Structure formats: structure tokens, C-alpha cells
Amino acid sequence: MNGCKRIGLAFTAFILMASLLTGCWNRRELNAISVVLAMGIDWVDEQYQLTVQVSDPSQMSINRSGERSPAIIFSERAPTIFEALRKITTKASRRMYLSHMRIVIINEKIAERGLRNPLDFLFRDHEVRPDFFMAVAKGCDAKDILAFVTPMEVLPAIDLYKSLKVSESSWAPTSAVNVVDMMQKVTKDGIEPVLTGITLIGNRNKGMKIDNVKQPKAYAEYKYTGIGVLLDDRIVGWLGESDSKGYSYVSNIVRSTVGHVRCPDGRDNFVVEIYKSHAEIIPSIKDGKPHVKVKMKSDANIGEYHCSADLGDEKVFSQMQQVAREEQRTTLEHSIRHVQRKYGADIYGFGEAFHRKYPKQWNKWKKQWPEIFKNDLQVEVVITTELHKTGKILNTIHKQP
């Protein structure tokens, strides 16, 4: 009996160990897939044109020959995005693998038609990880941007991804929009999404050849420029540099940025480097109408100084601080008014703030919120910027008058 028990226990242990050693049922070998690093979606002849940028493993080693491009572009058209993706297999010997995508670029025609179809595909496909950035191609096709030879990274997709990430952290007019944030804002009430634009500058034809990076000055270069305003899932316009900066301030995505301010005497400029910023949105109801107070506190240093006044004077330093506050307040107010009057798209999330604080009143407002935001909402901006350091020198190195 004891022997039978021992045999039974050993058999059970063998079965359990065997189950733990089984492989993945849906595994794919590396030599059977192409890792997609970037995707572009264009609208051409009433069809989706899908472009993918994949890496060539043979060119990723240190001892690569340089005779082949480290990135390969495939493109196909179809009535739907998924069909276009599968259709690429007619040109490629490996199946496209989407789990490591870093950026998706959509052209303006797609953005004007609406982003729900692309978003549906990107979230529904089980291979796609929702950790990539999105951008809109301005004045060019997404396909052209993916075929562009970038200067800093071997793989163009990585260059595009890193540049957007770094730009958001050090230059406020740029916003690195993650696909999850995009999806949440499209489906939420009281807040509208935005997307950063990207364009190509210079000779685009030469920019798509390896010669583009064989000299110090490239024939063509890409540039992230402006923030696109979306109403529901459609892009309705673009913000300039100053208004984009105002949006970033209110949305609390500014980590560090710089901007010039006129000297108190109006003769020249000084530069303020903001290294910490926080905005608080305080909703209220006055006389039955919505009111929002935006309280923003920033900590900053002086990055350049070209004014004639003595910074060592406490009164002068106080004046510099005051004009910096006024400049920041003007930036925020102009950005908010411009978006209110021209687009009626609440990209700042004021409606969401009312939803949290006044849920019953919000239920009455939410269907008409774009009109209320555009015509009835009053916004007050309060700035408490503080200047701290002047750098290694105090006053300007120019001769005093």
C-alpha cells in the first residue's frame, strides 16, 4: 500500500512539473517576425494607407556593414487599418509584430476625419501595448516622416520618440501625448484631447536618403511644432507657440522651460528659466454661471539678463519678478481666450473640474458644455511666480549706459 502511494505521489509530482515546463502555446520565433517600431496612418484615395517602420536585425550589430539601412519601410492601402496591416505580408517575409511600437503618426486628413477608427484598432489588437506616443503630420504624409533618415539615432523611430520625450520635458510648447491619455480624453466628458504636430523642413527627397546624415548640415530635418486642438475626436485647429505653452502650464505638464520677458524699462529682454510649475483649477458657480480660477505657482531662475538696471538692488529684483508674473499671466489668459472663442474645445479640463465638484449641476451642463465653455465660462488667472537665482554672475556683461 505504501509503495502504491509513493508511486501515485511521484506520478502526480511528474504531471505538475511537466505542466510547468510547457512552452507558450502562441509563441513566435524571432526569425519569423519583424518588430514594428513606428506606424504611420495616411488617408489616400478614400483608403487607409498604413506604413510601418521595422528594424533590420542584421544591421543592428556594432560590426554592421553599412550597405543596408537599419530600418525598413513597408506600406499598403486598404479600406481598414487591420486589412492594410495584413496586406503588408504580400511584400514582407515576416509577420509584423506590434508590441514594441514607440510612436504612431497620423496625417492631418485622418485627424480631420476622426481618430476613433485608428484608436479602435490600436486598443483592440491584443499585441499592441498602450505605451507609445501619438503625433500629427503637418503639411506632409506620415509615410514621408517614417522614411526620413534621422541624424542622431540609427533607427529613425527611436530618434522621433526620444526627441518628443525630451522636448516635452524641456520645452513647454510640446506635448508628448500617450495613447492611453488620448483614449481617456476622447471618451471622457469635460475635457478634449490634443496632439503635437510634426513636420519636415528642407529637401524632403534628399532627406530620405542616407546622404542626409553624411554631412554636418542635413538636407532635411523633422521638427515638432504646435499643439493640435481636437473637438471630440477631430482636429479643429492649431495653437501657436505661446498658446501651446499656456496649455502646457494649465495642464501641469511643464517640467522645465524658458521664455523671454521685456525689461521693466522696455528696452531689452531677460530670460526666465522655469524649473517647477503647478497650476490648480478651482471651479465655482457665480450668478448661475460657471467660473474658474486658475492659480499657478512657478519657481524660476534668470537664464539671461540684458537689462540696464542693477539686479543687486532688491527693488529692481522685485520689479523683474513682477514683470515675469505679468508675462506668464498674459500667456495663460491669451491661450484660454483664444481656444474658447475660436474652437470651443475645453482642452484644459475645466468641465472635468466642474464634474468633480458639482456633479448635479454638471449633468445639466454637459450636453451643452462646448457652447457654455465658449460663451459663458469666466476664467480668472492668478500667478505667483518667484525668481530665485541669477546664475554665476549678477548683472549684464555689457557696459552700463
Side-chain angles (χ1 to χ4, degrees):
M1 187 71 177
N2 290 336
C4 291
K5 285 184 177 179
R6 284 196 296 271
I7 293 172
L9 289 173
F11 182 74
T12 302
F14 174 78
I15 295 297
L16 291 173
M17 290 176 65
S19 66
L20 294 174
L21 294 174
T22 56
C24 297
W25 64 272
N26 64 342
R27 74 186 187 279
R28 293 179 185 170
E29 300 298 335
L30 288 176
N31 60 1
I33 61 174
S34 288
V35 178
V36 176
L37 297 176
M39 178 183 290
I41 307 175
D42 296 300
W43 185 252
V44 180
D45 296 333
E46 301 301 313
Q47 287 188 318
Y48 289 103
Q49 178 173 273
L50 185 74
T51 304
V52 294
Q53 182 186 117
V54 302
S55 62
D56 182 354
S58 67
Q59 297 301 303
M60 295 311 297
S61 67
I62 296 176
N63 298 321
R64 62 181 182 272
S65 65
E67 296 178 357
R68 291 164 55 117
S69 170
I72 306 170
I73 300 294
F74 295 105
S75 186
E76 266 296 348
R77 297 181 192 176
T80 64
I81 297 172
F82 206 173
E83 286 176 297
L85 179 64
R86 289 297 179 88
K87 200 173 177 181
I88 287 176
T89 58
T90 62
K91 299 178 176 180
S93 60
R94 301 184 182 189
R95 188 167 178 176
M96 300 297 110
Y97 185 66
L98 305 178
S99 292
H100 296 287
M101 274 199 308
R102 296 288 79 199
I103 190 168
V104 172
I105 299 174
I106 298 169
N107 77 341
E108 284 187 273
K109 289 183 180 179
I110 296 286
E112 290 168 358
R113 286 175 55 84
L115 298 178
R116 292 190 185 275
N117 288 348
L119 288 174
D120 181 273
F121 165 73
L122 293 170
F123 271 88
R124 195 175 299 278
D125 193 289
H126 68 281
E127 284 187 354
V128 179
R129 295 177 185 173
D131 59 354
F132 53 87
F133 292 147
M134 296 185 69
V136 177
K138 291 180 63 179
C140 58
D141 290 333
K143 181 180 179 180
D144 294 339
I145 293 176
L146 295 193
F148 177 75
V149 180
T150 53
M152 299 299 294
E153 299 288 341
V154 174
L155 294 170
I158 302 302
D159 203 313
L160 295 171
Y161 171 80
K162 287 184 176 180
S163 176
L164 183 54
K165 193 172 182 179
V166 170
S167 183
E168 184 194 48
S169 66
S170 57
W171 183 242
T174 306
S175 177
V177 180
N178 182 282
V179 68
V180 174
D181 296 334
M182 181 70 188
M183 189 67 169
Q184 288 176 344
K185 290 180 180 180
V186 166
T187 55
K188 273 184 179 180
D189 291 325
I191 188 168
E192 300 291 348
V194 300
L195 281 175
T196 291
I198 181 172
T199 190
L200 293 178
I201 302 171
N203 190 323
R204 297 179 185 178
N205 292 330
K206 289 187 176 181
M208 296 177 192
K209 298 178 181 179
I210 195 64
D211 290 342
N212 193 51
V213 294
K214 286 187 174 181
Q215 62 282 321
K217 176 60 178 175
Y219 293 115
E221 56 190 7
Y222 70 86
K223 181 180 181 181
Y224 287 106
T225 173
I227 289 178
V229 178
L230 282 81
L231 187 58
D232 194 14
D233 69 326
R234 291 177 169 83
I235 196 164
V236 292
W238 293 92
L239 300 183
E241 188 174 288
S242 179
D243 289 339
S244 296
K245 184 179 289 189
Y247 161 78
S248 297
Y249 280 136
V250 178
S251 302
N252 282 319
I253 60 176
V254 175
R255 297 173 192 157
S256 176
T257 191
V258 297
H260 69 275
V261 182
R262 295 296 291 177
C263 298
D265 60 10
R267 293 181 182 177
D268 217 319
N269 300 316
F270 67 98
V271 176
V272 173
E273 179 194 14
I274 294 176
Y275 61 87
K276 185 188 297 183
S277 177
H278 178 74
E280 182 183 4
I281 298 173
I282 304 172
S284 61
I285 300 175
K286 296 183 178 181
D287 300 324
K289 293 186 177 182
H291 182 276
V292 165
K293 178 184 284 187
V294 179
K295 294 178 64 177
M296 198 182 86
K297 184 180 185 304
S298 298
D299 292 310
N301 296 327
I302 294 179
E304 289 184 42
Y305 187 71
H306 306 295
C307 306
S308 58
D310 182 10
L311 262 182
D313 188 328
E314 186 175 337
K315 290 183 179 179
V316 171
F317 193 83
S318 179
Q319 287 179 336
M320 310 298 291
Q321 187 166 253
Q322 186 59 36
V323 293
R325 289 175 180 172
E326 288 299 316
E327 179 69 22
Q328 206 168 33
R329 182 177 62 81
T330 300
T331 298
L332 266 67
E333 288 180 343
H334 187 277
S335 175
I336 294 169
R337 283 199 305 268
H338 178 69
V339 174
Q340 275 185 295
R341 295 171 182 175
K342 189 168 184 178
Y343 305 119
D346 185 3
I347 60 177
Y348 307 97
F350 295 148
E352 191 177 29
F354 279 102
H355 187 190
R356 290 194 300 265
K357 189 171 182 179
Y358 303 102
K360 291 183 179 179
Q361 184 61 46
W362 173 252
N363 286 332
K364 299 177 182 178
W365 283 344
K366 65 179 182 180
K367 291 184 179 180
Q368 294 83 32
W369 183 247
E371 287 299 317
I372 294 173
F373 171 78
K374 185 174 184 178
N375 301 314
D376 298 327
L377 177 66
Q378 298 296 317
V379 181
E380 177 187 0
V381 177
V382 178
I383 304 292
T384 55
T385 297
E386 294 183 4
L387 296 178
H388 295 281
K389 298 179 180 179
T390 62
K392 293 190 292 184
I393 59 176
L394 187 62
N395 289 314
T396 177
I397 61 174
H398 302 298
K399 292 183 179 180
Q400 301 297 321

